[in-house]
Amino acid sequence: MTIDPTVSTKRLYIETVGCQMNVLDSEMVVASLRKDGYAITNDPKEADTILFNTCSVREHAEEKAYHNLFHLKQLKLQHPDKIIGVMGCMAQKDQKAIFDRVPYVDLVVGPGQLQQIPSLLKKISAGEGQQMAVSLDRKEGTAEDIRRSHETFDPLRDPEMRPSPGQAYIRIQIGCDKFCTYCIVPLTRGPEQGRSPAHIIAEAKVLADQGCKEITLLGQTVNSYRYRDAGKTTRLCDLLVELNEIDGIERIKFVTNYPKDMTRDLLEAVRDLPKCSRYFHVPAQSGSDSVLKRMKRGYTTGDYYEMMDRILEIIPDATVASDFIVGFCGETEEEFQGTMELVRRCRFKNSFIFQYSERTGTKGAEIYADDVPEEVKKRRNHDLLEVQNAICLEDNLPFLGRTVEVLVEGPSKWSLRKHQEGPVIQMTGRTRCDRIVVWDGNPRQIGQLLNVHVDDVSAFTLLGSVETFEVTPDVFPLSLSSSRR
Ligand code: SAH
Ligand code: SF4
Ligand code: F3S
C-alpha cells in the first residue's frame, strides 16, 4: 500500500476482542487508517491513536474493556494529544455513557459507523472535541432508517493486514433478527441484512488475486443469508456455487450457522462443491427443550438431532462444532443433564462453553431472573467441558498415523510465545475438517496446502511432521509472516 508522502506518519495501536466480525472490522479500520498515513505499533505508549474494538456479549468482556481504558489515565494525562477511541459493540451499546465513565475517551464509534473513523480522528486532532458516531437503536426510527444506519464497512483488502496471508474473512451478512432472549447482538449489530452477491464475489476475486487460498464467510446466522434483487433471491448455497468457481480459492468455510436453516440443499451444495470445508459450526446452546424455549431459539432438541442426522447422512465425514450457555435463567440440574446428553450423542469436534451473563436490554434480562448461582454455573461449565474434552481426544485418536492436508496459517501460539526463530519453528494450520495441526516447519510454508503426517494427538491438536513440501517463496514475502497485529 502506498503512503501519501505529504501525510506525516502517525502510529496506531489497536486491540481487538470479540468474534470474527470484530477481527474483520479491525482489519478494515486499520487498512483505511494506513491509507491515511498511519503505521501500526504494538506499544500503546508509542501510539498517537489507541483504539479498542470491543464486545458486549458477556459482562466480563465489557469489564475488561473499561479496565483497559482506566489503565490509560496516566498516559493520557502525560500526553493529552493521544487519541483514545472505543469502537465495536460496546460503543454501540453504551454510547455516551462511555464518555461519562471515562471522560478522557475522545471517540466512540459503533460497528455500523466505522467508515467515519478517519474523518472523526481528523476532527479530534483539529481540536473539535469528543466525537461519537453510532447507529440508530432498534426502536429509534423506521425499519428502513434503522437498516440504513447500520452500514457494512468492507471497502479495502490490504493483504498485509490479514492475520494470515493465505486466509481471509468475507462478510456476507450483518446484524441479526433472531433475538435469542440472552443475546445483545441484535441490539449492537442491528437488523439482519445480506450483502450483495456481486460485492461478495468481487471481493473474493480480489482476495484470490492477492494469493488468498481460504475464505471464511461471516454472518451471525450465515446460513440464513438471503439477498433479494430484481425478483431474484440469492441464498448461501447459490453463493457457494459461484465462489467455488474462483481460481486460486482452495477452501471455503462459513460461520456461524443457525440450526433451523441447515437445509438439505445447503448440505448438498457443500457435499458437491470440492472447495467447501466439511465443517459446520452450529451452536445448540442447550440440550433441554424447556431451556431452548426460554432462550427463544426456535427449535427443540429433537430438531437439532434431526439436523445432525441430516448432516451426517449427506456428508458422512462432516465435523460439527457447537456453543453452549450453562446456567441460563432457571436452568435445573435435569435441564443441564439434557445438555450433557446432547454433547455425548452429537460428539462435537469442539464446543465453546459459556456461563450465562445477564445483558441489560435483552428480553432475558427483562423477564427472567439470573438465578443460577455462580458456583453452579462454574461446576456445570467444568462438567460439560470434561465430557467434551474426552470426546475430542477419542475422536482425534483415529488420526494417528494418517496423513492430512493442512492449510498453513503461521507460527504456532507456542512458537510465538517462545519467540522461536531460525529455519525450523513450530508451525500451525488446519485440516479440511477444521482440526488444528502443529509440526516443525518453516514460515515459508505459510499459505500453502501441505500434507502432514500425524505422529501424535491431544484433545485439541494433531501433532505431525511434514513428509514433502513445495516451497514457493515468491508468493508471500517472509516479512509478512512477522507482521501480525
Ligand atoms: N450468532 C452466533 C452467536 C454469536 S454470540 C449464533 O447465533 O450462533 C457467540 C456465543 O456467545 C453464542 O453462541 C452464545 O453461546 C454465547 N452468548 C451469547 N450471549 C451470551 C450471554 N448473554 N451469556 C453467555 N454467553 C452468551
Ligand atoms: Fe445472538 Fe441468537 Fe442472533 Fe446468534 S442467532 S447473534 S445467539 S440473537
Ligand atoms: Fe461480541 Fe459484537 Fe461479536 S457483542 S460476539 S463483538 S457481534
Side-chain angles (χ1 to χ4, degrees):
M1 168 151 314
T2 45
I3 293 179
D4 182 345
T6 58
V7 183
S8 65
T9 303
K10 288 185 230 144
R11 284 174 202 278
L12 170 71
Y13 173 85
I14 183 163
E15 215 174 287
T16 307
V17 295
C19 62
Q20 291 102 329
M21 282 291 176
N22 264 11
V23 174
L24 180 55
D25 284 342
S26 288
E27 184 187 323
M28 297 300 182
V29 167
V30 167
S32 68
L33 289 177
R34 276 161 63 87
K35 218 174 144 207
D36 260 13
Y38 276 84
I40 294 289
T41 171
N42 291 323
D43 182 358
K45 287 197 200 80
E46 267 186 12
D48 302 284
T49 297
I50 299 174
L51 292 179
F52 290 106
N53 195 359
T54 55
C55 171
S56 288
V57 83
R58 282 169 291 277
E59 194 182 356
H60 179 73
E62 293 193 338
E63 276 167 5
K64 180 122 197 293
Y66 278 111
H67 174 85
N68 286 339
L69 290 169
F70 293 139
H71 200 71
L72 290 177
K73 190 170 182 180
Q74 280 309 317
L75 194 63
K76 180 76 175 177
L77 277 174
Q78 287 156 7
H79 306 278
D81 286 348
K82 269 190 206 292
I83 297 177
I84 299 178
V86 179
M87 54 187 267
C89 289
M90 196 179 88
Q92 179 63 37
K93 177 174 158 284
D94 289 357
Q95 306 193 356
K96 272 204 221 54
I98 296 177
F99 293 135
D100 298 339
R101 272 187 82 175
V102 195
Y104 48 85
V105 164
D106 303 285
L107 177 67
V108 169
V109 184
Q113 299 292 323
L114 300 178
Q115 73 284 1
Q116 296 205 40
I117 287 184
S119 63
L120 294 175
L121 288 176
K122 283 185 190 125
K123 282 189 181 176
I124 296 166
S125 297
E128 291 185 32
Q130 287 175 319
Q131 301 292 320
M132 183 170 89
V134 288
S135 302
L136 293 176
D137 285 345
R138 290 200 69 146
K139 289 187 185 134
E140 230 176 26
T142 65
E144 183 54 20
D145 288 345
I146 296 169
R147 256 198 306 278
R148 284 226 193 100
S149 80
H150 286 268
E151 284 184 48
T152 85
F153 182 53
D154 299 275
L156 304 154
R157 297 311 306 220
D158 177 348
E160 286 198 47
M161 287 336 298
R162 285 207 294 281
S164 175
Q167 301 170 293
Y169 292 131
I170 300 183
R171 202 186 319 269
I172 70 164
Q173 179 196 56
I174 62 169
C176 181
D177 286 339
K178 298 286 190 281
F179 285 98
C180 304
T181 55
Y182 50 81
C183 186
I184 196 75
V185 173
L187 303 181
T188 61
R189 294 269 169 178
E192 181 185 317
Q193 303 181 65
R195 260 183 95 205
S196 110
H199 290 161
I200 297 166
I201 304 295
E203 202 174 330
K205 285 186 176 154
V206 169
L207 289 162
D209 288 344
Q210 291 173 352
C212 175
K213 287 206 169 63
E214 179 186 274
I215 51 173
T216 303
L217 310 178
L218 296 187
Q220 294 299 343
T221 53
V222 71
N223 57 340
S224 320
Y225 171 84
R226 291 246 177 320
Y227 188 84
R228 290 185 189 86
D229 188 34
K232 184 174 174 261
T233 300
T234 307
R235 296 170 310 153
L236 177 59
C237 52
D238 307 317
L239 268 186
L240 293 176
V241 170
E242 288 199 50
L243 291 167
N244 192 71
E245 296 288 305
I246 299 176
D247 286 340
I249 300 293
E250 304 276 356
R251 280 190 189 177
I252 305 166
K253 294 195 218 171
F254 48 91
V255 289
T256 305
N257 292 284
Y258 184 62
K260 282 281 268 200
D261 291 323
M262 206 44 131
T263 52
R264 190 162 275 276
D265 48 359
L266 174 60
L267 292 166
E268 286 171 353
V270 171
R271 177 196 62 196
D272 297 340
L273 297 169
K275 295 181 180 175
C276 289
S277 281
R278 270 82 179 116
Y279 157 71
F280 306 101
H281 184 194
V282 207
Q285 308 297 359
S286 168
S288 150
D289 286 344
S290 35
V291 174
L292 287 172
K293 201 163 175 200
R294 293 202 290 282
M295 289 177 163
K296 203 172 148 282
R297 283 289 285 178
Y299 54 86
T300 61
T301 49
D303 295 331
Y304 196 88
Y305 286 127
E306 250 175 49
M307 177 207 73
M308 281 300 283
D309 289 346
R310 192 159 57 244
I311 293 177
L312 295 175
E313 176 210 320
I314 297 171
I315 310 171
D317 61 344
T319 55
V320 177
S322 185
D323 293 359
F324 290 96
I325 297 176
V326 294
F328 183 62
C329 309
E331 188 187 63
T332 63
E333 196 53 35
E334 197 188 337
E335 288 171 334
F336 171 65
Q337 288 307 323
T339 301
M340 295 277 271
E341 173 62 14
L342 187 121
V343 169
R344 285 195 198 98
R345 271 177 69 179
C346 294
R347 300 192 73 82
F348 296 108
K349 178 186 72 78
N350 65 280
S351 291
F352 298 98
I353 301 166
F354 307 104
Q355 297 171 36
Y356 174 61
S357 165
E358 186 176 83
R359 308 286 51 221
T360 308
T362 61
K363 204 78 194 154
E366 191 187 312
I367 60 179
Y368 302 121
D370 177 14
D371 53 1
V372 177
E374 284 304 302
E375 65 273 14
V376 176
K377 286 182 183 171
K378 248 190 219 142
R379 201 252 307 144
R380 288 180 186 169
N381 188 346
H382 171 268
D383 290 357
L384 194 59
L385 201 60
E386 205 167 64
V387 171
Q388 177 62 56
N389 287 352
I391 292 167
C392 291
L393 182 59
E394 281 164 25
D395 288 358
N396 276 351
L397 279 170
F399 282 87
L400 265 178
R402 275 166 53 182
T403 296
V404 289
E405 189 193 59
V406 170
L407 180 73
V408 186
E409 293 181 4
S412 71
K413 277 190 192 146
W414 181 86
S415 75
L416 290 173
R417 239 188 351 258
K418 296 273 169 198
H419 303 291
Q420 266 195 322
E421 277 180 26
V424 179
I425 63 171
Q426 191 183 70
M427 300 294 292
T428 186
R430 278 172 201 258
T431 64
R432 259 178 209 280
C433 59
D434 206 54
R435 286 189 158 80
I436 297 169
V437 186
V438 299
W439 68 96
D440 281 342
N442 185 305
R444 288 184 188 280
Q445 295 166 331
I446 292 173
Q448 295 188 35
L449 287 165
L450 275 192
N451 285 326
V452 181
H453 184 264
V454 180
D455 303 316
D456 198 3
V457 302
S458 72
F460 313 108
T461 318
L462 309 180
L463 300 106
S465 51
V466 173
E467 291 177 326
T468 54
F469 64 90
E470 293 161 32
V471 175
T472 50
D474 49 328
V475 179
F476 300 116
L478 250 184
S479 60
L480 284 190
S481 65
S482 55
S483 65
R484 301 288 109 75
R485 273 201 301 277

